[in-house]
Amino acid sequence: MTSAASYTLTTPLEAVPDLTSPMVKMLANEGITTVGELLAEFPFRYEDRSQMEFKGFTPSLEPVCHHVRVTRGRTVRFGRRSGFFEAACEAAQSNPLNQQLTLRWFNMPFMNRTIAVDMELIVYGKIKEIKGRLVMGHPEYEIVRGDAEDAGALQIHTGRIVPIYRLRGGLRQKLLRAVIWQVLQKVDDSSVADRLPKPKADREFAGLHRGKALCDVHFPIGKSELELTRRYLALEEFYILQLRVLRRRLLWRANTGWQQPVHQGQLAQSFLKSLPFTLTEAQQRSLDEIRRDMTAPEPMNRLLHGDVGSGKTVVALAAMLQAVEAGHQAALMAPTQILAEQHYANACRWLEPLGLRVALRTAERKEDNVAPLFQNQKTSHDGAHILIGTHALLFDADAMPQLGLAVIDEQHKFGVAQRARLIAAGHAPDVLVLTATPIPRTLALTVYGDLDVSTIDEKPLDRGQIVTLVRTEKKLADIAKFIRGQIEEGRQAYIVYPLIDESDKLVAKAATAGFKEWSDLLAPHLVGLMHGKMDSAPKNEVMSRFRSGEINALVSTTVIEVGVDIPNANVMVIFNAERFGLAQLHQLRGRIGRGAHRSHCVLMIAEKDVEARDRLNILVETTDGFRIAEEDLRRRGPGDLLGSAQSGEAPLKFADLLGDTRLLTLARRIAERTLSEDPTLSDPGREELRMLVLETDAPAATLQ
């Protein structure tokens, strides 16, 4: 960038004389109308064209870049509609080995109108040896015309680390790169406001500022400079994200909450003593953290996460009893009706001897379990002290004026906007959100950064061992024989499919067809079917019969993924396992291993799917959900995790949630310091930053 002020980030592209009207219109069609929006079109990768000296064409596992000259071209057809165009090339500078490289584009016969003999190209792709020929299939290419424009732009397109952009509409790679280069030359650094505080002279980012970073990220001088710039922009992304989540924390704590001291703790003590097991150290530690929050005047906003079967529900119920003893109601909200009814049944069994009144409220059922103690205490919902239902309870929050604690089961189905509904006029309840998906530390600081976090990182000793195997269709008869043997020993099985009905568009198995097949394979043993399209009544009937042991094997879709607890079920077969994420497979697997007997999970894949087998091996090696969550994040990236749980968050373009942990921790410290000095970000120099932080759907979105 130059020091002479020509453009600012708000300059309309129409005012940039280097851009033609058709180019401005083309960019506008893609939503790019200002200099700032143009420069925000960051490269998604780079090609190292700094070493263009030709050393020969060789097969390569990684993409390579060559400057070539076309010697001949031809179109090969297979029938009327298929075929390929190929161009034979040699090195453009010198070719002492007389090597030839063949460029090939399948089903693109029109390339014969683009690529011509004697044309020079910059090509990028992997080279393979095919029948004695060196072939680069579907290469990315740029035509080097050798005219005055190309000569002047040589420093942009070759001989350097070259940015590659994602193209939209009619935009072309070389033209977009040239436009960004031209604009960067005339943008004044002083017009680009820094978002991060100025780094100290002895720190990693000394001398870097946003203006320089924008220039370097598009046209880096070298690899080390590019990595430093990426880290600077990653820190900036983390910083804005941390400002958002910390601000949400401040907004939540600004509400008036219930102060709910432990008192004698008789209810919770009686409850815990009645259990046939003692809490693990991790459970007790988490309960102590929750109790401490509930005694404070600010409303609690805490996440309790742990592996499947680690005992989160027991901890949550003990916390709910503290709210009841303090004279308030407690509600537990589940993501599905089946899980809500299961929680209700357990709560009735455990809490009825304590004299509490438990109520179930879902779209399908309204049911009360009445006990005499506390019956005369004035509460809502006909005197219920513990209210259990689906997330639809949020829309009935006004009917719970004494709500002291809201427990939300499965946090990933319950985001910022939903938690906001709990803030009614007057007091905000304490909120405890649960998830059986172990959360890597980096996600805990980003997606759930506005919550305090408690972790249950150990399982009860009485949990059975789970053996996980990866198998193909060839083993189906053996698997059926094994399941039959387990049923005859008194056990039960889940058989899970990705689809409800068969589809012409998807190569995957369906539960309805699987139900018929397994009914034959396991006859005369009884097989049940359950999926999301079934009405609640037949779905509840099937689950009740499976829970009682009348149904021996349950063919199902992923509706059984969350919370279903049948200790007698010790076998699970999951078809098309390659279609599921590792975390979801681990969730499904968590439905077994809940009794003392040994359990088996069989992951079914296609015969030659080596990639799926490699990916699923982590489930064979371990049942540690935290390790699996890290691997899932590494392989799939954060995906929509930021958006699904905390809608309003922008995707991370530069930050690596696994590799940049130190930057995330640093961003957290900087954001905490910023908000401690200026809680409302009212400093005029932070206006752009303030607007970025306010881009969220959280409640009370304006800073007071």
Side-chain angles (χ1 to χ4, degrees), residues 335-518:
T336 66
Q337 174 145 337
I338 289 176
L339 185 53
E341 292 178 0
Q342 181 172 287
H343 281 315
Y344 173 69
N346 289 335
C348 289
R349 184 176 74 252
W350 284 333
L351 303 182
E352 182 179 9
L354 302 180
L356 295 180
R357 183 166 185 168
V358 183
L360 174 68
R361 296 292 186 274
T362 70
E364 303 291 335
R365 291 179 61 185
K366 178 180 179 181
E367 194 169 327
D368 292 340
N369 182 66
V370 182
L373 191 68
F374 295 107
Q375 187 170 348
N376 295 324
Q377 181 176 329
K378 183 180 180 181
T379 57
S380 303
H381 285 292
D382 303 323
H385 303 92
I386 302 290
L387 184 64
I388 296 174
T390 60
H391 290 171
L393 281 175
L394 287 171
F395 298 92
D396 200 18
D398 290 341
M400 297 181 285
Q402 296 296 312
L403 182 63
L405 174 63
V407 178
I408 315 299
D409 200 0
E410 284 311 313
Q411 157 69 13
H412 68 280
K413 302 178 186 296
F414 191 83
V416 173
Q418 288 74 32
R419 289 203 303 273
R421 295 190 67 91
L422 294 173
I423 307 177
H427 291 76
D430 289 328
V431 174
L432 177 65
V433 287
L434 314 179
T435 180
T437 303
I439 302 165
R441 181 172 177 271
T442 48
L443 281 186
L445 283 173
T446 50
V447 180
Y448 309 110
D450 57 328
L451 286 77
D452 296 303
V453 179
S454 293
T455 303
I456 301 181
D457 51 8
E458 60 181 317
K459 291 185 180 180
L461 296 176
D462 61 348
R463 291 292 176 177
Q465 179 187 4
I466 301 178
V467 176
T468 302
L469 307 166
V470 179
R471 294 291 185 264
T472 65
E473 289 286 332
K474 287 184 177 181
K475 297 293 184 180
L476 186 60
D478 293 337
I479 294 169
K481 181 179 179 181
F482 176 76
I483 293 177
R484 181 188 294 272
Q486 291 294 302
I487 291 174
E488 289 170 356
E489 291 181 11
R491 307 276 79 82
Q492 293 168 279
Y494 294 102
I495 302 167
V496 182
Y497 288 86
L499 302 178
I500 297 175
D501 299 306
E502 292 181 322
S503 169
D504 295 332
K505 298 180 181 179
L506 298 175
V507 183
K509 292 184 173 292
T512 50
F515 170 66
K516 297 176 183 177
E517 182 178 14
W518 284 99

Side-chain angles (χ1 to χ4, degrees), residues 484 514-525 527:
R484 181 188 294 272
F515 170 66
K516 297 176 183 177
E517 182 178 14
W518 284 99
S519 294
D520 293 335
L521 287 171
L522 299 179
H525 301 296
V527 178

